Amino acid sequence: MHMDCMIKAHELTRRFGSFVAVDGISLAVQKGEVLGFLGPNGAGKTTTMKILTGFLPATSGMAEICGLNVTDHPIAARQKLGYLPEGAPLYDDMTAGGFLQFIAQVRGLSGMAAKEAIQKAAQSVHLLPVLHQPIETLSKGYRRRVGLAQAILHDPDVLILDEPTDGLDPNQKHEVRRLIEQMAPNKAILISTHVLEEVEALCSRLIIIDRGRIVADGTPADLKARSRYHGAVTLEVSTDQAEAARSTLAEMEGLANLEQHESGGLTRFTLFPQAKADLLDPARMLLGGHGITIRQIALEAGRIDDAFRALTHSDAATDADRAEETIA
Amino acid sequence: MSAALTSVFKREFTSYFSTPVAIVFIVIYLMLSGVFTFYVGGFYERGQADLSAFFTYQPWLFLFLIPAISMRLWAEERKSGTIELLLTLPVGTWSAVLGKFLAAWALAALALMLTFPIWITVNYLGDPDNGVILASYLAALLMAGGYLAIGAAMSAATRNQVIAFVLAIALCFLFTVSGLPIVLAFFEGWAPDWLATLVADFSFLTHFSTLSKGVLEAADILYFLSLIGLWLFLGYLIIELKREDN
């Protein structure tokens, strides 16, 4: 086995009664990688994470953390692992500092080592001002950060974070992303998220799962290339020139399809190419030649949300989901 | 014991005091103990230098008060989702079960110790057999452990503390009354003697009353210890089997 392969799952399956929540998922995350886990609610992301962390037993299949089987060596595997469960559950009656002290103790840190670890973790998620406050009095953003501090306290090799930025404001999201980026080179990180921009900003690779199965596995660029917008050209002209622009563009060579959308005096065209035709320069020249002013023009790399929608079912929600994932 | 067990114990014990649970429990327990000893038990009227007026009512007090401190042990973890956090930390399920139980037992022991003014009173008024009193305290502590182990298992079965409380009382009640004449009379006539004896043998009351007479029989101590062990094991099983429905 490869030395740097820190999270490994082989053919994981989990059934709840007759419902198959996770259906043969295999994945591997290396050191230095941030793997994004995407999928509609109820697709099996959270269940997979619960199996990887050893909380739920798999019906069949195998999960390893740093080469340690999570069912055969649960304690040793958990020592290598930092986990933020869905919703960042915390002991509300404790202070943030007391809670981190508890985590440090459970992780076998005491005295100065515990103090330093708490200080460092609290500092990196900007928690220092509220360490003495009871957790129940903290805002959602701070609670999530306490959960993160708890997960990174012992500087684990492996991080599994279930929706780490859920419920945070844009600034807080940005900070959490930066934190994950900073830690990424030395760890194997698995995050689940619904925020697609996060995937682009953060993940070196992503896996989309739908109804318990992996439907896509690749870099964000790979996935964008699967979107129908990949290679498309979008351009905007003022609406009074829209008719002229339309008839000009329709003649264009290599054009497969043309979409039009009007808003605020501007009309946006999206040109979908045939095969791998490059439409950017031809479109620019053609319109310029007809005296039509282009306000804005761009070549699309593709859209993750588009690929996501094409690959997954929004009706994945069934009875078992309520136990499995909360509806966002 | 292991660092994990110790930290679970400490966290659990302190959380009794960071919420009003511990204070309310101790105050109510001491007040009711006083009421039962002096008014219902007729401590002075009996004119005897012993604490039987105090210990006679302990099973009935524990029956309602002990489930109140055991109900939160696991139900709260399920409700808030922290059970997932706890069981993905490097803590074995056994350490968590044991740590929580010991924390609740320590609280019960503390409450029991705080009844010392009654012991001082009886020593001031007369010349009691302090050996018997010590044995009775030990018996009460063991019995509290039995109630707690049952309560903890019931707490593991649900995310609702009220349900945990009611289930615990119901089960504890069964284990308490099975030695009462009224229950045994029910078995008389139709059931073989061994069955009636078995039912009586399962009663907290039977074993508690022997112990609190100062007769430190290994069998009675073993009864409580194995009962605690059994219910802790059942609690452990419930947690392992019900992981997904939190």
Side-chain angles (χ1 to χ4, degrees):
Chain A
M1 190 190 61
H2 199 270
M3 274 303 287
D4 282 340
C5 183
M6 308 246 243
I7 306 176
K8 199 174 159 192
H10 182 70
E11 292 288 318
L12 284 184
T13 299
R14 172 73 209 199
R15 293 194 183 86
F16 294 99
S18 63
F19 176 73
V20 186
V22 174
D23 191 0
I25 285 191
S26 299
L27 57 85
V29 189
Q30 322 285 337
K31 181 175 175 176
E33 237 183 342
V34 180
L35 177 66
F37 216 30
L38 267 72
N41 285 319
K45 304 188 294 292
T46 295
T47 304
T48 305
M49 288 181 148
K50 283 179 177 176
I51 296 171
L52 289 173
T53 55
F55 179 66
L56 277 188
T59 310
S60 65
M62 187 269 311
E64 280 181 4
I65 300 292
C66 300
L68 296 158
N69 187 304
V70 298
T71 15
D72 299 342
H73 307 282
I75 306 283
R78 288 170 200 174
Q79 275 160 352
K80 307 268 186 198
L81 169 76
Y83 177 39
L84 176 72
E86 184 185 30
L90 303 167
Y91 292 113
D92 278 354
D93 55 312
M94 304 180 94
T95 62
F99 175 70
L100 294 180
Q101 181 71 43
F102 165 66
I103 300 290
Q105 270 174 9
V106 169
R107 298 227 174 253
L109 299 167
S110 58
M112 272 317 282
K115 216 171 165 182
E116 276 167 23
I118 292 169
Q119 193 72 14
K120 199 172 154 216
Q123 203 153 25
S124 58
V125 294
H126 305 283
L127 205 59
L128 290 175
V130 301
L131 274 185
H132 61 280
Q133 278 189 35
I135 290 172
E136 60 194 347
T137 66
L138 297 180
S139 68
K140 203 171 179 187
Y142 271 124
R143 291 178 63 96
R144 188 61 48 131
R145 284 188 255 176
V146 175
L148 275 168
Q150 165 273 126
I152 62 173
L153 189 81
H154 54 304
D155 194 19
D157 289 335
V158 172
L159 270 180
I160 295 182
L161 309 173
D162 201 349
E163 300 191 9
T165 59
D166 181 43
L168 299 184
D169 70 34
N171 293 334
Q172 293 165 341
K173 276 186 180 159
H174 179 74
E175 289 201 352
V176 168
R177 276 176 216 156
R178 244 188 21 202
L179 175 72
I180 294 174
E181 266 165 16
Q182 278 166 13
M183 295 187 299
N186 305 311
K187 298 187 194 308
I189 303 179
L190 175 63
I191 64 169
S192 77
T193 179
H194 283 300
V195 189
L196 297 168
E197 53 179 286
E198 200 157 281
V199 172
E200 293 200 63
L202 211 52
C203 299
S204 48
R205 197 154 64 86
L206 59 91
I207 281 180
I208 297 183
I209 68 170
D210 183 47
R211 297 175 174 179
R213 291 165 190 258
I214 292 179
V215 292
D217 181 349
T219 63
D222 291 341
L223 199 74
K224 283 183 191 170
R226 297 177 65 161
S227 142
R228 68 190 188 104
Y229 287 96
H230 178 65
V233 170
T234 53
L235 60 87
E236 281 181 353
V237 300
S238 73
T239 298
D240 40 330
Q241 290 185 310
E243 255 327 292
R246 185 182 177 83
S247 48
T248 313
L249 289 170
E251 306 286 299
M252 215 164 77
E253 206 172 308
L255 181 75
N257 191 15
L258 179 66
E259 283 179 12
Q260 188 176 352
H261 177 75
E262 204 272 329
S263 95
L266 288 175
T267 296
R268 172 194 293 250
F269 289 99
T270 307
L271 319 176
F272 295 96
Q274 287 169 350
K276 290 196 168 171
D278 179 4
L279 299 180
L280 184 64
D281 287 332
R284 193 185 276 148
M285 272 153 50
L286 208 60
L287 290 177
H290 285 75
I292 298 168
T293 317
I294 301 171
R295 298 298 182 91
Q296 200 178 323
I297 185 162
L299 179 65
E300 293 249 4
R303 298 179 190 175
I304 288 184
D305 62 340
D306 186 60
F308 181 85
R309 275 197 300 274
L311 287 164
T312 60
H313 302 77
S314 59
D315 60 355
T318 59
D319 284 348
D321 307 337
R322 256 166 278 139
E324 206 263 297
E325 291 190 350
T326 52
I327 305 302
Chain B
M1 275 295 217
S2 72
L5 191 149
T6 320
S7 23
V8 170
F9 171 84
K10 266 203 260 178
R11 197 208 77 73
E12 209 63 46
F13 191 72
T14 19
S15 91
Y16 277 122
F17 288 90
S18 62
T19 54
V21 174
I23 301 305
V24 170
F25 169 74
I26 289 174
V27 169
I28 300 287
Y29 168 73
L30 292 178
M31 273 172 48
L32 289 178
S33 283
V35 168
F36 277 104
T37 307
F38 292 103
Y39 293 96
V40 187
F43 176 73
Y44 292 121
E45 290 78 358
R46 293 177 74 245
Q48 287 182 22
D50 63 27
L51 285 184
S52 57
F54 168 70
F55 284 110
T56 307
Y57 296 99
Q58 290 301 304
W60 305 101
L61 270 183
F62 283 174
L63 176 58
F64 288 94
L65 289 179
I66 293 285
I69 55 172
S70 64
M71 66 180 189
R72 56 183 284 284
L73 286 176
W74 291 99
E76 195 169 84
E77 298 258 4
R78 278 194 197 282
K79 180 144 195 141
S80 66
T82 46
I83 189 168
E84 192 176 347
L85 185 78
L86 181 65
L87 297 183
T88 51
L89 287 169
V91 178
T93 308
W94 255 119
S95 299
V97 167
L98 218 55
K100 278 171 176 284
F101 168 75
L102 290 176
W105 208 10
L107 178 65
L110 179 67
L112 210 51
M113 276 195 283
L114 288 175
T115 60
F116 71 92
I118 294 183
W119 174 70
I120 291 178
T121 308
V122 78
N123 269 280
Y124 175 77
L125 291 174
D127 187 19
D129 185 341
N130 280 318
V132 173
I133 292 179
L134 192 67
S136 305
Y137 268 110
L138 182 73
L141 186 62
L142 284 171
M143 187 173 56
Y147 283 126
L148 271 175
I150 293 175
M154 290 304 101
S155 177
T158 173
R159 50 183 292 159
N160 185 316
Q161 292 197 31
V162 176
I163 292 176
F165 179 70
V166 174
L167 285 178
I169 288 184
L171 261 176
C172 290
F173 183 71
L174 281 181
F175 271 88
T176 310
V177 298
S178 64
L180 285 184
I182 186 169
V183 177
L184 295 177
F186 171 77
F187 287 95
E188 226 159 66
W190 63 272
D193 279 352
W194 63 265
L195 185 63
T197 318
L198 188 73
V199 171
D201 271 347
F202 263 100
S203 171
F204 281 23
L205 287 180
T206 315
H207 297 277
F208 178 66
S209 65
T210 332
L211 281 176
S212 60
K213 282 186 193 111
V215 191
L216 281 182
E217 286 261 19
D220 297 313
I221 296 176
L222 210 65
Y223 163 78
F224 280 116
L225 290 180
S226 48
L227 188 103
I228 290 171
L230 173 73
W231 281 98
L232 287 182
F233 179 66
L234 289 175
Y236 166 86
L237 279 186
I238 293 171
I239 290 159
E240 286 298 329
L241 295 175
K242 274 183 62 100
R243 277 169 178 250
E244 53 261 48
D245 339 319
N246 61 301

